[in-house]
Amino acid sequence: MSRRFDHLGDVETFIAVVDHGSLTAAAVALATTPSVVSRAVARLEQRLGAQLLRRTTRRQGLTEAGRLYLEQARAAFAQIDEAERAIQGQGGELSGRVRLSVPTTYGHYRLPPLLRRFAERYPRVRVELNIANRNVDLVAEGFDLAVRLGALPDSGLAARKLEDAALCVVASPEYLRRRGVPKNLDDLAAHTLLPFEMPSTGRIAQWQFRDDGRDVDWTPESPLQVTDDVLGVVSLAEHGLGLCQSYDFVVAQRVAAGTLVETLPHLRGRSRPFSLIYAPHRRLSAASRALIDALAGES
């Protein structure tokens, strides 16, 4: 009996050529040679009786037939992936792969103990972790889950709040001896501040206070400004360059060790939410669901 779908390897090769832009780049990604990739695409075209790619010296462009076939092939492989996700872990020890993206604050200070407990409980689950200060596109970049900071836009994504993280303003003891301790918001104008530019908007992240029961959003201004890595403001503050606002869970050990000192404690009371998001239309694997519960502290 002949196999109906023994050409699926050629289909995956075709998708790789489109994704990577050329036969050569696809060959590198697939750990093979350009000639093997070229023969795979040619076999597929012969089977279909249609040209899928327009060959040029540098890139491979899709024909109309190629565009249509690519769309249907992606959908078919997505369904196979969904089927695997639906049954992973049902017949025995939990296994599978979960792709997770988190911001640096969460990745360095909240995730490690949670992930350690998860790995001990589910040693056969592979977690592919991305730690970065940017919002990944879950669907386009193939992530199962992502942790996001702040209020979530109405994006159609499912969300589960992890925590409301308290904020505080800190500086090094040396800086405070040199420049004095601020007593109120007006005093900040005489200090060096360490603002952070949000990668998602290009705007300065506002410092948030509660002053006599009133919420205050305050924009710090400074000749020194940090981009990309929000943890940079904490490092700079620790080395005496100025004041920064950060999360309690980020600076707690430094405050306890005396390398940072909290200022303006009477203006506390504000926090920012951390949430876990995922695409609601995508059937979550058992491994993904277990990781969601672990991050939410329910397992």
Side-chain angles (χ1 to χ4, degrees):
M1 178 179 175
S2 62
R3 296 170 56 191
R4 289 183 58 196
F5 300 109
D6 58 356
H7 63 292
L8 289 183
D10 293 343
V11 179
E12 288 189 286
T13 301
F14 163 66
I15 293 174
V17 172
V18 176
D19 286 345
H20 294 281
S22 70
L23 297 174
T24 301
V28 172
L30 297 173
T32 186
T33 65
S35 61
V36 169
V37 171
S38 180
R39 288 196 297 271
V41 174
R43 281 195 304 269
L44 184 60
E45 289 178 325
Q46 184 178 12
R47 176 186 178 89
L48 297 172
Q51 183 179 356
L52 301 177
L53 296 174
R54 295 188 185 92
R55 275 80 164 171
T56 64
T57 55
R58 292 189 177 181
R59 293 188 65 83
Q60 314 302 312
L62 283 170
T63 64
E64 182 59 28
R67 184 196 61 77
L68 178 62
Y69 188 75
L70 176 69
E71 182 179 312
Q72 297 294 326
R74 285 195 195 281
F77 280 120
Q79 283 208 317
I80 294 173
D81 187 50
E82 293 270 339
E84 291 180 350
R85 288 171 177 276
I87 65 169
Q88 279 176 345
Q90 289 187 0
E93 186 179 1
L94 194 66
S95 63
R97 181 191 73 160
V98 184
R99 298 196 69 214
L100 169 68
S101 177
V102 301
T104 55
T105 46
Y106 192 86
H108 287 281
Y109 291 93
R110 277 300 199 236
L111 184 63
L114 298 173
L115 202 55
R116 178 177 177 176
R117 288 195 292 271
F118 180 83
E120 289 172 349
R121 183 172 181 181
Y122 304 113
R124 294 186 60 201
V125 174
R126 184 177 72 183
V127 178
E128 296 182 0
L129 178 62
N130 168 268
I131 301 178
N133 272 311
R134 70 178 184 91
N135 291 342
V136 300
D137 186 319
L138 264 70
V139 177
E141 298 183 55
F143 283 95
D144 301 293
L145 311 169
V147 173
R148 291 279 168 84
L149 164 67
L152 298 175
D154 185 13
S155 62
L157 295 170
R160 188 163 173 180
K161 183 182 283 189
L162 299 175
E163 68 174 295
D164 287 305
L167 295 160
C168 62
V169 176
V170 294
S172 72
E174 184 274 331
Y175 173 87
L176 296 175
R177 284 193 296 270
R178 180 164 41 91
R179 299 290 298 273
V181 179
K183 304 297 184 184
N184 51 51
L185 287 178
D186 291 337
D187 286 354
L188 292 179
H191 282 268
T192 301
L193 310 179
L194 300 170
F196 177 69
E197 180 184 298
M198 300 291 288
S200 58
T201 64
R203 297 176 182 174
I204 296 298
Q206 292 185 316
W207 289 11
Q208 297 180 327
F209 302 98
R210 182 157 293 148
D211 189 4
D212 196 22
R214 179 174 57 96
D215 287 347
V216 177
D217 292 336
W218 192 83
T219 304
E221 296 182 0
S222 172
L224 179 59
Q225 186 171 307
V226 176
T227 62
D228 290 334
D229 187 356
V230 68
L231 294 176
V233 299
V234 178
S235 296
L236 295 176
E238 193 172 20
H239 284 81
L241 275 78
L243 293 145
C244 79
Q245 186 174 66
S246 187
Y247 303 103
D248 281 359
F249 69 74
V250 171
V251 301
Q253 289 187 344
R254 294 175 173 89
V255 171
T259 61
L260 286 174
V261 177
E262 182 180 359
T263 67
L264 304 174
H266 60 288
L267 298 179
R268 271 181 167 271
R270 300 290 296 280
S271 62
R272 295 193 186 113
F274 282 85
S275 302
L276 187 66
I277 63 170
Y278 52 92
H281 62 275
R282 186 176 186 180
R283 185 179 291 110
L284 291 172
S285 67
S288 292
R289 292 194 300 270
L291 185 55
I292 289 173
D293 289 342
L295 298 185
E298 296 182 5
S299 68

